[in-house]
Amino acid sequence: MERAPDRRAEHATLPWFARFSQVVLILIILVGLAPAAAVSEDLNPLHPADTSSPRDTLESFLRLSDEIALIWESEGFSDRHHLLFRGLRETMDFSATPYGMSLREQARRILLLREVLDRIELPPLAEIPGDVEVAEQDIAVWTIPGTRMQIVRHEGGVFDGDYLFSALTVGRLDRDYRRVEHLPYKPGQFGGHMDWFAPGGPFGVDSSILATRLKGGDFSSPLATLESFLASMNDAYRIAQDAQAALDATPPQITLAEAREADERARLLIEQAVSAFDLSEIPMAQREDLGIERALMLKEVLDRLALPLIDAVPGETEIVEPEDQDDPYRWRLPGTEIEIERIEDGDRVGEFLFDQTTVAALPGMYALLEDLPYRHVEDLHELLEYQSPDISPGFYEFYISYPGYLVPGAHFLGPLVNDLPDWTKSVYADQTLWQWIGLALTIALTGLLIWLTFRTVSALAAMTRPTLGHWILILAPALAVVEINWMLSILDYEINITGELLVHLVTLVGLADIAFDAFIVWRVASAIARTIIASPRIAEGGINASLVSIVASIVGICAIGALVIYELMLLGFDILPLLAGLGVGGLAVALAIRPTLENLIGGFILFTDKPVRVGDYCSFSGMSGTIESIGVRSTQVRALDRTLISIPNAKFVDMEIVNWARCDRMLVTTRIQLRYETGDDQLRYLLARLREMLLAHPKVQTDTVRVRFAGYGESSLDVDIRIYVDTRDWNDFYAVREDVFLRIKTIVREAGTGFAFPSRTVYQGQDSGIDEERGKDVEGEVAQWRKDGSLPFPNMAEQHLAELAGTLDYPPRGSVSRSGHDAAADVQDEPLSTRDEEDETRR
């Protein structure tokens, strides 16, 4: 049955309707803002409409709507309009109306009700129950004869006891209007109100359309979901077909820019239709493409079915809750397996969507029905009750067979494909031959481009500083990600690969994307570590450098693991078995790499305790050497014989380590064994001279000098010497010790004694004995000390200590070092730690 657009267009230009609609529009904007002054004397400002009975409610509605038009025609906009509009609102119950709290939606419902009432026969007012009938018969509900429209008594709330058009009546006004809109108006009535809610009209779009655009569709009930889906798909089909036909015309009736704009509008409508599906079980990476294909398949299926009567599809007020409250509400399209389910959780809770089972079964449904003819809309009058019952023949085949999206002529490949031979358009495995060729060429070109990218970036990194080179290397996998996604975009949107092949391509590209993303993360972690290590505060090969590398590696591995798991979830992989396997496998790996873990932990202990540093000279387990590096697994020590010793960290931290680099001074200790023939005063003289010599030496710490007669040996009088040399360099230490020992030998000779021979070898020869003359001189000098009271036992006088300090010539007079020349050009310093020089340089 054809609708009556001419009649509605004719009435839309009538003065009464234009003025009435403009008035309501202004009322919507200004309601509640205008002052409640200068109102009609016959209106109660607190309750403009009389709703005390069905008769009064109907009469108030008709009278108030007429009065709005009359006041506008005679006075223009008046401050009484907001009161009249409020009276109209108070005759209707909007509680079951979608977006019923919107003033725009309330105005639309008022116009719908007036449109319906202007087309149906109403009984005389005297036959409608008034106050007397209500009081005598206790009437709670009155139904307009020949309709299901009711005026009911409201119970509770602000409108307790008032008679209002029922919530069900107001909620079903869309359906009632569709049933009567083709009927003529009653004499004297001029309608066409609903045209003013079309885009571009004075009211703009209504609330449901606004909500549809903003959140993807009206899914407040199975009926709303079905109608939203049909309307979006049909509008997309119409826009795409009209644009393509206009491009194919000779000459073209639209420009390429206009065609692309139409293509974009059709694309948005398709995406809006896809939002009617529950795609929660489809991997995120595949939702867009699979959603579009499923939407086209569902439309093809619905276009071959006779849609049910609109009364058989539950609206928002006709939903019957299931007996088991734990089961979600479902509605099945009669005679099919297509179900609409209410979502019970997630970000779309409460919406009615085509369920997951339906979405998964659509390819099979389409395969079963694709050879059947489309329904004939003109033969099914009941379909006119839907907002968009039209069909879109060949929409799915059209979509999968042409390049681009929905308007092939707007795509640069469109003319090329049209000029191809027919044999290239033959379908093999759901793709045309030209699409297979385009697929192979695109993949080959992308592979070559990725290879060239890695080669070029590697060459560029090799020409720069190492630190900068590590950052440049990140470009290679980053560009590879861009290139493979560019390839997928070409295959998806330009060549328009569809079906299972596209699913496999998305999965493979996703896996390649994961690999390159992991490569990026690893190179970023490595570049950060190398940049930190390059800082002058961190020694190359030191434990700090090793720790930075370890931390960067651990952080990089953890980030890669999280990235891989997240992207695998997007691709639809079930990661729970993977995580469980990683748990069991991780235990096995941990046991297998226990020594490595121990060494790793040992490295952390070396870092925290810092018993040694790179460059320190140390002794351990009978060996000595200089620490060259402390790595993740082992510590490298350069021995005195220049061999390199590698010690696992786990063992090294358990050793007794002597770190010579931590010495603030170096110890010299020795025992002098004198002959028993040495006299007492000779021994005292010797001890005194030794102390004087050591206290006078500039390289000996005077507060630590210890020279004492220690005891009687088997064949000697023992004198112990312990001093600290003020140096931290091995060569300097050996030189000072040598000088001290030479001076000791001289003092022993000057004291007139000699070193004992611990050997029991029997010598046959004349013993020259000791120097008796020198012994008498020494005894005399010691006697003089007693007489002067300066005998240096047990300690020397402070004044004598001050006089002796630093008076001994060292380096010895006549030596090369004493004369200012280089002591030995071929002898290098041998410090206990190479870090001393670095610290001195920084200071």
Side-chain angles (χ1 to χ4, degrees), residues 246-254:
L247 279 178
D248 293 339
T250 306
Q253 299 177 359
I254 60 174

Side-chain angles (χ1 to χ4, degrees), residues 107-143:
R108 195 176 76 89
R109 296 286 168 165
I110 290 172
L111 295 180
L112 283 172
L113 179 57
R114 185 62 195 242
E115 283 282 330
V116 174
L117 295 179
D118 284 350
R119 285 177 168 87
I120 65 174
E121 292 295 330
L122 296 176
L125 289 178
E127 298 179 7
I128 303 175
D131 293 336
V132 175
E133 292 80 4
V134 167
E136 293 178 349
Q137 304 175 28
D138 191 23
I139 299 174
V141 178
W142 178 74
T143 303

